[in-house]
Amino acid sequence: MLKGRIKNINSTKYIVDVNDKDYTCVLRGIFRKEKITPLVGDYVEINEKELQITKILPRKNYLHRPNIANVDIALIITSVKKPDLDLILLDKLLVHVLANNIRPVICFTKTDLLTEDEQKDFKKIMKYYKNAGYDAILNENVLKFKMLVHDKVVVTCGQTGAGKSTFINMIDDSLHLETNPISESLNRGVHTTRYVSLYKIENFYIADTPGFSSLDLTNLTVEQIRNGFNEFSDYPCQYHDCSHINTDGCNVFPKVGKKILESRYNNYKKFIKEHNESSSKLFKK
């Protein structure tokens, strides 16, 4: 048996990287019978003679959107214009990846399209996220990106048209990943990447993934959502399990608009509300 990592899945074909050599494999029937679904990034054992995946090794983590396993860093590609900056999706992704024990790195793209006044507003936002404890870079900071991801497995994620494939082409122009302009009428991207694919570049792996514009956090706990907002821990409350929403004595919500970015706090309340509404519906069933 050989051990390797799944780098691409297309229908029933699984490309497995074993010591930089690719094997095109199929699944043993037992996987379908037991409804086990391998993911890109999974470490597996394969039968070299029959080219079958025979075993999926234990995962350290996985994401359900995008579908990938065993990730160290999530590179959240965030367009500031065309498509416009979506702070709700950015904050959801930060919560999502932190809840799965994955380190987020925010990568802002298309800053050259901003007006002078928009640049000032954007710089304040980027500074805020950095001060809140998140790594945040511009897409032209390729050298800084490579320093952050040395010997890591990275997954790109974010809205369609934000520039995920374009960024990967920037760091390795030999890949020639397909890219498309955004739809001017809809102000959103056109899907070009249809499958999760893992590429080895220098000393790290990076996954190109299909874009999306929405993300469901209802599978997380309230605590996981709250812990996804790093800056809240800077203002400890007298209550151990404080919701930080209109609670007397809370030290967080009085800081909104002063120390805490208002959009961040509003998004937090929105996520908690969505979670509670979903839990209520499930309870009624």
Side-chain angles (χ1 to χ4, degrees), residues 129-248:
Y129 279 91
K130 284 184 173 181
N131 289 341
Y134 302 104
D135 289 307
I137 62 173
L138 302 179
N139 63 318
E140 60 258 35
N141 300 144
V142 174
L143 289 179
K144 184 174 182 180
F145 165 76
K146 288 183 176 180
M147 290 174 61
L148 289 171
V149 301
H150 183 84
D151 286 339
K152 304 295 184 185
V153 177
V154 185
V155 59
T156 61
C157 49
Q159 66 202 124
T160 303
K164 296 183 293 297
S165 300
T166 299
F167 181 75
I168 296 175
N169 283 336
M170 284 176 61
I171 58 179
D172 188 344
D173 58 11
S174 68
L175 293 174
H176 304 298
L177 301 184
E178 183 183 358
T179 61
N180 272 327
I182 72 156
S183 167
E184 294 292 340
S185 60
L186 298 175
N187 188 36
R188 67 186 185 201
V190 178
H191 288 288
T192 51
T193 303
R194 304 197 179 279
Y195 306 101
V196 177
S197 297
L198 197 60
Y199 302 96
K200 186 174 184 181
I201 300 176
E202 297 177 11
N203 51 29
F204 63 93
Y205 285 88
I206 189 165
D208 192 22
T209 65
F212 51 87
S213 58
S214 63
L215 182 65
D216 186 1
L217 297 180
T218 54
N219 62 317
L220 303 184
T221 65
V222 169
E223 182 180 18
Q224 286 174 317
I225 295 173
R226 185 173 62 239
N227 290 346
F229 289 78
N230 287 353
E231 61 270 47
F232 290 178
S233 62
D234 294 335
Y235 312 102
C237 296
Q238 59 179 308
Y239 308 110
H240 172 69
D241 201 28
C242 184
S243 69
H244 306 318
I245 300 176
N246 300 326
T247 305
D248 290 339

Side-chain angles (χ1 to χ4, degrees), residues 3 23 51 86 214 229 254 256:
K3 292 183 180 180
Y23 293 81
L51 292 178
D86 187 343
S214 63
F229 289 78
V256 177

Side-chain angles (χ1 to χ4, degrees), residues 2-19:
L2 298 176
K3 292 183 180 180
R5 184 195 338 239
I6 298 175
K7 58 187 290 189
N8 181 272
I9 301 173
N10 190 341
S11 186
T12 60
K13 302 296 184 183
Y14 296 77
I15 308 301
V16 179
D17 174 13
V18 180
N19 298 323

Side-chain angles (χ1 to χ4, degrees), residues 116-133:
E116 189 173 336
D117 287 340
E118 289 170 337
Q119 284 279 4
K120 292 177 182 177
D121 291 337
F122 162 69
K123 286 178 180 178
K124 291 178 183 177
I125 290 172
M126 184 172 179
K127 182 179 179 181
Y128 179 87
Y129 279 91
K130 284 184 173 181
N131 289 341

Side-chain angles (χ1 to χ4, degrees), residues 218 225 245 267-279:
T218 54
I225 295 173
I245 300 176
N267 288 342
Y268 167 71
K269 290 195 298 181
K270 177 182 174 67
F271 302 162
I272 294 295
K273 182 174 182 288
E274 289 175 352
H275 177 277
N276 290 341
E277 287 175 350
S278 175
S279 297

Side-chain angles (χ1 to χ4, degrees), residues 85-92 125 129 261 263 267 271:
L85 179 60
D86 187 343
L87 291 178
I88 293 177
L89 182 58
L90 171 58
D91 288 341
K92 275 193 173 183
I125 290 172
Y129 279 91
L261 192 66
S263 66
N267 288 342
F271 302 162

